[in-house]
Amino acid sequence: MNKEHYQKLKKELPKGVTLVAVSKTKPNEEILEAYDLGHLDFGENKVQDLVQKQEVLPKDIRWHFIGHIQTNKIKFVAPFVFLFHGVDSIKVLRNIEKEALKNKRKINILLQVKISDEESKFGFSASALMDLLSSEIYLSLKNVQIVGLMGMASNTDNQDQVKQEFESLKNLFDQAKDRYLNKSDYFKIVSMGMSGDYRLAIEAGSNMVRIGSYIFGQRHL
Ligand SMILES: *Cc1c(COP(=O)(O)O)cnc(C)c1O
């Protein structure tokens, strides 16, 4: 890992912004380097990698699942996952509810919202999100706690566009909290911002950034 970048980042991030160090594709030794500096929040996007890492790495690490998850794989991470960032369908939501019950634990999740018009980005549309939050399904969740929203901006050099996309997620978060979240004390996380755009994300109101390559270097896989 790049310790200098990590320390700089820790100094730069405002209080109240949680840093998730995205360790996907990186070996355990590098995760331990960050852990030894006191870092506990790590993000992975492949179930198999996450399970293998969780088995051997310190048990006080808080594992964030940051990508799209397949329904049939939720059971492998449900016993220990700290936060799911990429919940993008009702099917996934229902499955997490089921697995949380089986594991006798509450599982915290973020609903992913599609804020970019790129084909490859998963997530609820703004209207689908509002529909979900006013639905029976939402009210029936007992073991899943929706603690916020997550989004990914377009991969573009157009800063105005990225800024607008982040602002749209923050606005949606505020609206959702005002209108629907009766358990609103829990609804408090806006997860947005990566290595290339975290400053814009924080300006727009992010309080959780997911940063990989800036800390760990480029990924080759
Ligand atoms: C890989 C990944 C990141 C980190 O990206 P970097 O550009 O390396 O900081 C953040 N969020 C998600 C969902 C990712 O898949």
Side-chain angles (χ1 to χ4, degrees), residues 57-78:
L57 287 167
K59 292 297 177 261
D60 57 342
I61 286 180
R62 299 188 283 255
W63 292 107
H64 297 246
F65 194 90
I66 59 169
H68 172 72
I69 186 150
Q70 286 169 273
T71 322
N72 59 348
K73 294 193 173 163
I74 291 168
K75 58 176 176 285
F76 299 115
V77 296

PDB file of all heavy atoms in Angstrom, residues 57-78:
ATOM      1  N   LEU A  57      -8.022 -12.963   8.208  1.00  0.00           N
ATOM      2  CA  LEU A  57      -7.620 -11.643   8.702  1.00  0.00           C
ATOM      3  C   LEU A  57      -8.295 -11.343  10.052  1.00  0.00           C
ATOM      4  O   LEU A  57      -9.217 -12.040  10.451  1.00  0.00           O
ATOM      5  CB  LEU A  57      -7.936 -10.585   7.640  1.00  0.00           C
ATOM      6  CG  LEU A  57      -6.982 -10.646   6.437  1.00  0.00           C
ATOM      7  CD1 LEU A  57      -7.511  -9.819   5.264  1.00  0.00           C
ATOM      8  CD2 LEU A  57      -5.578 -10.180   6.809  1.00  0.00           C
ATOM      9  N   PRO A  58      -7.792 -10.332  10.767  1.00  0.00           N
ATOM     10  CA  PRO A  58      -8.316 -10.045  12.115  1.00  0.00           C
ATOM     11  C   PRO A  58      -9.838  -9.877  12.132  1.00  0.00           C
ATOM     12  O   PRO A  58     -10.422  -9.317  11.216  1.00  0.00           O
ATOM     13  CB  PRO A  58      -7.626  -8.731  12.479  1.00  0.00           C
ATOM     14  CG  PRO A  58      -6.368  -8.724  11.681  1.00  0.00           C
ATOM     15  CD  PRO A  58      -6.682  -9.427  10.410  1.00  0.00           C
ATOM     16  N   LYS A  59     -10.435 -10.373  13.193  1.00  0.00           N
ATOM     17  CA  LYS A  59     -11.893 -10.446  13.257  1.00  0.00           C
ATOM     18  C   LYS A  59     -12.548  -9.089  13.552  1.00  0.00           C
ATOM     19  O   LYS A  59     -13.767  -8.964  13.449  1.00  0.00           O
ATOM     20  CB  LYS A  59     -12.331 -11.489  14.295  1.00  0.00           C
ATOM     21  CG  LYS A  59     -11.985 -12.911  13.871  1.00  0.00           C
ATOM     22  CD  LYS A  59     -12.725 -13.328  12.575  1.00  0.00           C
ATOM     23  CE  LYS A  59     -12.356 -14.712  12.087  1.00  0.00           C
ATOM     24  NZ  LYS A  59     -11.365 -14.716  10.992  1.00  0.00           N
ATOM     25  N   ASP A  60     -11.757  -8.103  13.934  1.00  0.00           N
ATOM     26  CA  ASP A  60     -12.395  -6.797  14.177  1.00  0.00           C
ATOM     27  C   ASP A  60     -12.446  -5.920  12.917  1.00  0.00           C
ATOM     28  O   ASP A  60     -12.907  -4.780  12.959  1.00  0.00           O
ATOM     29  CB  ASP A  60     -11.721  -6.046  15.342  1.00  0.00           C
ATOM     30  CG  ASP A  60     -10.234  -5.836  15.131  1.00  0.00           C
ATOM     31  OD1 ASP A  60      -9.631  -6.531  14.276  1.00  0.00           O
ATOM     32  OD2 ASP A  60      -9.662  -4.966  15.818  1.00  0.00           O
ATOM     33  N   ILE A  61     -12.011  -6.469  11.790  1.00  0.00           N
ATOM     34  CA  ILE A  61     -12.153  -5.725  10.535  1.00  0.00           C
ATOM     35  C   ILE A  61     -13.635  -5.638  10.178  1.00  0.00           C
ATOM     36  O   ILE A  61     -14.384  -6.593  10.341  1.00  0.00           O
ATOM     37  CB  ILE A  61     -11.353  -6.409   9.393  1.00  0.00           C
ATOM     38  CG1 ILE A  61      -9.863  -6.164   9.595  1.00  0.00           C
ATOM     39  CG2 ILE A  61     -11.806  -5.893   8.020  1.00  0.00           C
ATOM     40  CD1 ILE A  61      -8.975  -6.784   8.525  1.00  0.00           C
ATOM     41  N   ARG A  62     -14.035  -4.440   9.702  1.00  0.00           N
ATOM     42  CA  ARG A  62     -15.419  -4.249   9.257  1.00  0.00           C
ATOM     43  C   ARG A  62     -15.438  -4.367   7.737  1.00  0.00           C
ATOM     44  O   ARG A  62     -14.904  -3.517   7.019  1.00  0.00           O
ATOM     45  CB  ARG A  62     -15.917  -2.859   9.686  1.00  0.00           C
ATOM     46  CG  ARG A  62     -15.912  -2.696  11.208  1.00  0.00           C
ATOM     47  CD  ARG A  62     -16.574  -1.413  11.629  1.00  0.00           C
ATOM     48  NE  ARG A  62     -15.727  -0.249  11.424  1.00  0.00           N
ATOM     49  CZ  ARG A  62     -15.087   0.408  12.381  1.00  0.00           C
ATOM     50  NH1 ARG A  62     -15.204   0.011  13.646  1.00  0.00           N
ATOM     51  NH2 ARG A  62     -14.346   1.452  12.109  1.00  0.00           N
ATOM     52  N   TRP A  63     -16.043  -5.450   7.262  1.00  0.00           N
ATOM     53  CA  TRP A  63     -16.032  -5.738   5.828  1.00  0.00           C
ATOM     54  C   TRP A  63     -17.232  -5.121   5.122  1.00  0.00           C
ATOM     55  O   TRP A  63     -18.377  -5.434   5.445  1.00  0.00           O
ATOM     56  CB  TRP A  63     -16.014  -7.252   5.586  1.00  0.00           C
ATOM     57  CG  TRP A  63     -14.722  -7.886   6.008  1.00  0.00           C
ATOM     58  CD1 TRP A  63     -14.515  -8.673   7.100  1.00  0.00           C
ATOM     59  CD2 TRP A  63     -13.455  -7.773   5.338  1.00  0.00           C
ATOM     60  NE1 TRP A  63     -13.188  -9.068   7.153  1.00  0.00           N
ATOM     61  CE2 TRP A  63     -12.517  -8.523   6.084  1.00  0.00           C
ATOM     62  CE3 TRP A  63     -13.014  -7.113   4.182  1.00  0.00           C
ATOM     63  CZ2 TRP A  63     -11.176  -8.634   5.720  1.00  0.00           C
ATOM     64  CZ3 TRP A  63     -11.683  -7.216   3.820  1.00  0.00           C
ATOM     65  CH2 TRP A  63     -10.783  -7.972   4.585  1.00  0.00           C
ATOM     66  N   HIS A  64     -16.947  -4.274   4.147  1.00  0.00           N
ATOM     67  CA  HIS A  64     -17.997  -3.648   3.343  1.00  0.00           C
ATOM     68  C   HIS A  64     -18.070  -4.383   2.014  1.00  0.00           C
ATOM     69  O   HIS A  64     -17.058  -4.525   1.326  1.00  0.00           O
ATOM     70  CB  HIS A  64     -17.649  -2.177   3.071  1.00  0.00           C
ATOM     71  CG  HIS A  64     -17.573  -1.333   4.306  1.00  0.00           C
ATOM     72  ND1 HIS A  64     -18.465  -0.316   4.562  1.00  0.00           N
ATOM     73  CD2 HIS A  64     -16.706  -1.347   5.368  1.00  0.00           C
ATOM     74  CE1 HIS A  64     -18.156   0.262   5.719  1.00  0.00           C
ATOM     75  NE2 HIS A  64     -17.091  -0.338   6.228  1.00  0.00           N
ATOM     76  N   PHE A  65     -19.258  -4.841   1.660  1.00  0.00           N
ATOM     77  CA  PHE A  65     -19.418  -5.415   0.325  1.00  0.00           C
ATOM     78  C   PHE A  65     -19.869  -4.287  -0.586  1.00  0.00           C
ATOM     79  O   PHE A  65     -20.961  -3.739  -0.426  1.00  0.00           O
ATOM     80  CB  PHE A  65     -20.420  -6.570   0.318  1.00  0.00           C
ATOM     81  CG  PHE A  65     -20.326  -7.348  -0.956  1.00  0.00           C
ATOM     82  CD1 PHE A  65     -19.461  -8.421  -1.064  1.00  0.00           C
ATOM     83  CD2 PHE A  65     -21.047  -6.960  -2.080  1.00  0.00           C
ATOM     84  CE1 PHE A  65     -19.316  -9.109  -2.263  1.00  0.00           C
ATOM     85  CE2 PHE A  65     -20.907  -7.636  -3.287  1.00  0.00           C
ATOM     86  CZ  PHE A  65     -20.040  -8.713  -3.372  1.00  0.00           C
ATOM     87  N   ILE A  66     -19.004  -3.907  -1.550  1.00  0.00           N
ATOM     88  CA  ILE A  66     -19.263  -2.652  -2.256  1.00  0.00           C
ATOM     89  C   ILE A  66     -19.863  -2.808  -3.641  1.00  0.00           C
ATOM     90  O   ILE A  66     -20.213  -1.829  -4.264  1.00  0.00           O
ATOM     91  CB  ILE A  66     -17.975  -1.815  -2.377  1.00  0.00           C
ATOM     92  CG1 ILE A  66     -16.900  -2.594  -3.132  1.00  0.00           C
ATOM     93  CG2 ILE A  66     -17.490  -1.379  -1.005  1.00  0.00           C
ATOM     94  CD1 ILE A  66     -15.718  -1.737  -3.509  1.00  0.00           C
ATOM     95  N   GLY A  67     -19.994  -4.013  -4.149  1.00  0.00           N
ATOM     96  CA  GLY A  67     -20.466  -4.112  -5.528  1.00  0.00           C
ATOM     97  C   GLY A  67     -21.852  -4.710  -5.655  1.00  0.00           C
ATOM     98  O   GLY A  67     -22.582  -4.864  -4.680  1.00  0.00           O
ATOM     99  N   HIS A  68     -22.177  -5.041  -6.870  1.00  0.00           N
ATOM    100  CA  HIS A  68     -23.411  -5.760  -7.149  1.00  0.00           C
ATOM    101  C   HIS A  68     -23.251  -7.173  -6.607  1.00  0.00           C
ATOM    102  O   HIS A  68     -22.239  -7.813  -6.831  1.00  0.00           O
ATOM    103  CB  HIS A  68     -23.610  -5.798  -8.666  1.00  0.00           C
ATOM    104  CG  HIS A  68     -24.731  -6.663  -9.091  1.00  0.00           C
ATOM    105  ND1 HIS A  68     -26.052  -6.326  -8.887  1.00  0.00           N
ATOM    106  CD2 HIS A  68     -24.745  -7.868  -9.696  1.00  0.00           C
ATOM    107  CE1 HIS A  68     -26.819  -7.291  -9.358  1.00  0.00           C
ATOM    108  NE2 HIS A  68     -26.056  -8.237  -9.852  1.00  0.00           N
ATOM    109  N   ILE A  69     -24.240  -7.644  -5.857  1.00  0.00           N
ATOM    110  CA  ILE A  69     -24.132  -9.004  -5.322  1.00  0.00           C
ATOM    111  C   ILE A  69     -25.205  -9.898  -5.931  1.00  0.00           C
ATOM    112  O   ILE A  69     -26.345  -9.480  -6.105  1.00  0.00           O
ATOM    113  CB  ILE A  69     -24.198  -9.041  -3.776  1.00  0.00           C
ATOM    114  CG1 ILE A  69     -23.923 -10.453  -3.265  1.00  0.00           C
ATOM    115  CG2 ILE A  69     -25.548  -8.521  -3.246  1.00  0.00           C
ATOM    116  CD1 ILE A  69     -23.290 -10.531  -1.919  1.00  0.00           C
ATOM    117  N   GLN A  70     -24.821 -11.130  -6.267  1.00  0.00           N
ATOM    118  CA  GLN A  70     -25.797 -12.091  -6.793  1.00  0.00           C
ATOM    119  C   GLN A  70     -26.563 -12.700  -5.635  1.00  0.00           C
ATOM    120  O   GLN A  70     -25.971 -13.033  -4.597  1.00  0.00           O
ATOM    121  CB  GLN A  70     -25.070 -13.192  -7.556  1.00  0.00           C
ATOM    122  CG  GLN A  70     -24.543 -12.744  -8.902  1.00  0.00           C
ATOM    123  CD  GLN A  70     -23.615 -13.799  -9.462  1.00  0.00           C
ATOM    124  OE1 GLN A  70     -22.415 -13.807  -9.186  1.00  0.00           O
ATOM    125  NE2 GLN A  70     -24.174 -14.719 -10.238  1.00  0.00           N
ATOM    126  N   THR A  71     -27.845 -12.869  -5.840  1.00  0.00           N
ATOM    127  CA  THR A  71     -28.725 -13.353  -4.780  1.00  0.00           C
ATOM    128  C   THR A  71     -28.227 -14.652  -4.151  1.00  0.00           C
ATOM    129  O   THR A  71     -28.237 -14.801  -2.936  1.00  0.00           O
ATOM    130  CB  THR A  71     -30.139 -13.599  -5.343  1.00  0.00           C
ATOM    131  OG1 THR A  71     -30.418 -12.570  -6.276  1.00  0.00           O
ATOM    132  CG2 THR A  71     -31.171 -13.591  -4.248  1.00  0.00           C
ATOM    133  N   ASN A  72     -27.783 -15.577  -4.997  1.00  0.00           N
ATOM    134  CA  ASN A  72     -27.405 -16.900  -4.470  1.00  0.00           C
ATOM    135  C   ASN A  72     -26.081 -16.891  -3.706  1.00  0.00           C
ATOM    136  O   ASN A  72     -25.685 -17.891  -3.138  1.00  0.00           O
ATOM    137  CB  ASN A  72     -27.370 -17.923  -5.614  1.00  0.00           C
ATOM    138  CG  ASN A  72     -26.379 -17.537  -6.696  1.00  0.00           C
ATOM    139  OD1 ASN A  72     -25.878 -16.410  -6.716  1.00  0.00           O
ATOM    140  ND2 ASN A  72     -26.078 -18.457  -7.581  1.00  0.00           N
ATOM    141  N   LYS A  73     -25.407 -15.751  -3.686  1.00  0.00           N
ATOM    142  CA  LYS A  73     -24.130 -15.694  -2.962  1.00  0.00           C
ATOM    143  C   LYS A  73     -24.215 -14.925  -1.650  1.00  0.00           C
ATOM    144  O   LYS A  73     -23.253 -14.864  -0.881  1.00  0.00           O
ATOM    145  CB  LYS A  73     -23.062 -15.069  -3.855  1.00  0.00           C
ATOM    146  CG  LYS A  73     -22.749 -15.955  -5.047  1.00  0.00           C
ATOM    147  CD  LYS A  73     -21.508 -15.523  -5.766  1.00  0.00           C
ATOM    148  CE  LYS A  73     -21.149 -16.537  -6.847  1.00  0.00           C
ATOM    149  NZ  LYS A  73     -20.200 -15.953  -7.806  1.00  0.00           N
ATOM    150  N   ILE A  74     -25.362 -14.346  -1.387  1.00  0.00           N
ATOM    151  CA  ILE A  74     -25.520 -13.529  -0.184  1.00  0.00           C
ATOM    152  C   ILE A  74     -25.242 -14.343   1.074  1.00  0.00           C
ATOM    153  O   ILE A  74     -24.635 -13.872   2.029  1.00  0.00           O
ATOM    154  CB  ILE A  74     -26.934 -12.898  -0.158  1.00  0.00           C
ATOM    155  CG1 ILE A  74     -27.041 -11.838  -1.261  1.00  0.00           C
ATOM    156  CG2 ILE A  74     -27.250 -12.302   1.211  1.00  0.00           C
ATOM    157  CD1 ILE A  74     -28.435 -11.342  -1.538  1.00  0.00           C
ATOM    158  N   LYS A  75     -25.661 -15.619   1.031  1.00  0.00           N
ATOM    159  CA  LYS A  75     -25.526 -16.466   2.227  1.00  0.00           C
ATOM    160  C   LYS A  75     -24.077 -16.626   2.701  1.00  0.00           C
ATOM    161  O   LYS A  75     -23.832 -16.833   3.884  1.00  0.00           O
ATOM    162  CB  LYS A  75     -26.153 -17.837   1.999  1.00  0.00           C
ATOM    163  CG  LYS A  75     -25.594 -18.633   0.831  1.00  0.00           C
ATOM    164  CD  LYS A  75     -26.249 -20.018   0.787  1.00  0.00           C
ATOM    165  CE  LYS A  75     -25.821 -20.854  -0.395  1.00  0.00           C
ATOM    166  NZ  LYS A  75     -26.454 -20.423  -1.669  1.00  0.00           N
ATOM    167  N   PHE A  76     -23.132 -16.508   1.781  1.00  0.00           N
ATOM    168  CA  PHE A  76     -21.727 -16.722   2.171  1.00  0.00           C
ATOM    169  C   PHE A  76     -21.156 -15.568   2.991  1.00  0.00           C
ATOM    170  O   PHE A  76     -20.226 -15.756   3.766  1.00  0.00           O
ATOM    171  CB  PHE A  76     -20.857 -16.956   0.932  1.00  0.00           C
ATOM    172  CG  PHE A  76     -21.270 -18.166   0.138  1.00  0.00           C
ATOM    173  CD1 PHE A  76     -21.770 -18.039  -1.153  1.00  0.00           C
ATOM    174  CD2 PHE A  76     -21.189 -19.440   0.701  1.00  0.00           C
ATOM    175  CE1 PHE A  76     -22.170 -19.151  -1.882  1.00  0.00           C
ATOM    176  CE2 PHE A  76     -21.586 -20.563  -0.017  1.00  0.00           C
ATOM    177  CZ  PHE A  76     -22.086 -20.418  -1.311  1.00  0.00           C
ATOM    178  N   VAL A  77     -21.681 -14.390   2.792  1.00  0.00           N
ATOM    179  CA  VAL A  77     -21.137 -13.239   3.528  1.00  0.00           C
ATOM    180  C   VAL A  77     -22.070 -12.734   4.627  1.00  0.00           C
ATOM    181  O   VAL A  77     -21.666 -11.964   5.495  1.00  0.00           O
ATOM    182  CB  VAL A  77     -20.751 -12.080   2.572  1.00  0.00           C
ATOM    183  CG1 VAL A  77     -19.633 -12.514   1.644  1.00  0.00           C
ATOM    184  CG2 VAL A  77     -21.937 -11.589   1.767  1.00  0.00           C
ATOM    185  N   ALA A  78     -23.319 -13.216   4.594  1.00  0.00           N
ATOM    186  CA  ALA A  78     -24.319 -12.749   5.565  1.00  0.00           C
ATOM    187  C   ALA A  78     -23.908 -12.930   7.033  1.00  0.00           C
ATOM    188  O   ALA A  78     -24.278 -12.112   7.872  1.00  0.00           O
ATOM    189  CB  ALA A  78     -25.662 -13.431   5.310  1.00  0.00           C
TER     190      ALA A  78
END
